[in-house]
């Protein structure tokens, strides 16, 4: 199999391939976090670092053809979305009186699965998606009325820097997601710091985006709402975390 990822889906694919005894190749942008690259290699996958996210997608398509590999899409795939939906199912099971769920958006796999499950099981709950200002593909897609591609993305939240919104993900977001919001990198950093200091939780930037929108007061939620922020990842190296959170940074 072959896939592409900033590093988290990569680890999932590498791990699953190892369990199944098959070979996995993952293309990642050259800027991929060393922690994620190392973990993916440790799970046994071949990692190819290539260009920026857009160039990495081209490389993936080339290798898929040349080596006749099966592409496991990081978000635009019904099975990936169904897997993400299990998170929504568990949330409603654990928190039956939930008022709202907030999650970050890259290509839209996570939010489309979570929103689908939550809205089907608890239609009164509201679902909000959050993107970095420098990678707001779904926000722009909703505005344009179709999934859009971005030429460049620019954010510290590498996990949310997909250069396009998935077709299936876009359709599900249009159907199930109540609002799309954008946060700055500074707002994301503030949420990472809050999680670290107050919750003793290490989140990577992509994982803290939902909380960033909440604490920045961007979400239309009445006081007292029972809100679940999905902290979707914590793959950040100690050195990277220290330099991100250093006061002068
Ligand atoms: C930490 C983290 N959060 C959220 C996402 C959401 O991704 P997507 O919208 O592409 O499913 C990703 C994707 O890689 C991620 O790494």
């Amino acid at each position: 199999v072959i896939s592409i990822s900033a590093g988290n889906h990569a680890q999932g694919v590498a791990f699953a391939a190892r369990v199944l005894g098959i070979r996995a190749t993952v293309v990642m942008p050259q800027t991929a976090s060393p922690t994620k690259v190392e973990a993916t290699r440790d799970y046994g996958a071949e990692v190819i670092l290539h260009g920026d996210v857009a160039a990495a997608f081209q490389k993936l398509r080339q290798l898929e053809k040349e080596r006749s590999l099966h592409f496991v899409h990081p978000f635009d795939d019904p099975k990936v979305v169904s897997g993400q939906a299990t998170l929504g199912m568990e949330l409603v099971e654990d928190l039956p009186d939930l008022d709202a769920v907030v999650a970050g958006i890259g290509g839209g796999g996570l939010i489309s699965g979570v929103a689908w499950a939550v809205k089907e099981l608890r239609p009164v709950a509201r679902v909000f998606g959050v993107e970095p200002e420098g990678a707001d593909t779904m926000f722009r897609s909703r505005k344009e009325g179709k999934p859009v591609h971005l030429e460049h993305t620019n954010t510290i939240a590498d996990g949310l820097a997909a250069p396009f919104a998935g077709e299936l993900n876009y359709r599900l977001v249009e159907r199930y997601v109540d609002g799309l919001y954008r946060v700055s990198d500074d707002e994301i950093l503030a949420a990472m710091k809050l999680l670290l200091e107050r919750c003793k939780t290490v989140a990577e930037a992509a994982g803290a985006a939902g909380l960033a929108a909440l604490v920045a007061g961007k979400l239309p939620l009445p006081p007292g709402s029972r809100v679940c922020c999905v902290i979707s990842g914590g793959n950040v190296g100690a050195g990277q975390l220290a330099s991100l959170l250093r006061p002068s940074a």
Side-chain angles (χ1 to χ4, degrees):
V1 294
I2 189 163
S3 195
I4 181 162
S5 159
N8 285 333
H9 176 71
Q11 289 172 66
V13 169
F15 179 75
R18 188 164 82 173
V19 169
L20 296 171
I22 57 177
R23 288 183 53 202
T25 301
V26 185
V27 185
M28 295 193 208
Q30 238 145 11
T31 51
S33 130
T35 319
K36 292 177 179 175
V37 173
E38 201 185 316
T40 307
R41 286 194 172 129
D42 282 353
Y43 286 127
E46 175 192 7
V47 175
I48 295 171
L49 296 171
H50 186 85
D52 61 6
V53 186
F57 259 100
Q58 280 170 7
K59 185 77 182 167
L60 160 100
R61 290 299 186 188
Q62 178 202 333
L63 292 171
E64 179 191 10
K65 261 200 213 132
E66 274 174 18
R67 301 186 185 177
S68 301
L69 297 170
H70 178 77
F71 175 30
V72 183
H73 202 289
F75 43 85
D76 201 1
D77 180 306
K79 289 192 177 123
V80 171
V81 171
S82 303
Q84 307 283 27
T86 63
L87 169 58
M89 292 168 73
E90 286 180 33
L91 285 180
V92 176
E93 218 172 272
D94 289 353
L95 307 164
D97 56 355
L98 186 69
D99 292 318
V101 181
V102 193
I105 304 180
L110 177 66
I111 193 77
S112 56
V114 167
W116 170 33
V118 169
K119 285 291 194 178
E120 289 294 337
L121 296 170
R122 183 167 164 76
V124 296
R126 306 176 76 197
V127 180
F128 301 115
V130 179
E131 295 181 301
E133 284 170 356
D136 55 349
T137 41
M138 201 60 83
F139 184 90
R140 287 171 190 248
S141 299
R142 178 166 278 190
K143 223 168 144 191
E144 299 252 330
K146 59 175 197 278
V148 300
H149 284 243
L150 296 181
E151 294 258 315
H152 300 287
T153 54
N154 181 18
T155 172
I156 56 164
D158 58 335
L160 305 184
F164 62 90
E167 296 270 347
L168 169 66
N169 315 110
Y170 167 75
R171 287 203 303 275
L172 288 168
V173 164
E174 284 311 277
R175 178 156 172 199
Y176 291 116
V177 176
D178 296 286
L180 297 172
Y181 297 88
R182 294 179 291 185
V183 286
S184 68
D185 281 357
D186 281 347
E187 286 165 337
I188 292 175
L189 284 172
M192 287 172 74
K193 190 161 176 273
L194 180 73
L195 282 166
L196 192 72
E197 290 179 345
R198 301 290 290 274
C199 306
K200 321 303 166 201
T201 295
V202 174
E204 62 182 272
L211 181 68
L214 183 74
V215 296
K218 294 190 169 175
L219 306 179
L221 288 165
S225 300
R226 287 163 298 245
V227 186
C228 171
C229 285
V230 178
I231 310 298
S232 50
N235 284 308
V236 55
Q240 194 192 358
L241 188 65
S243 71
L244 279 174
L245 296 182
R246 200 170 290 136
S248 58

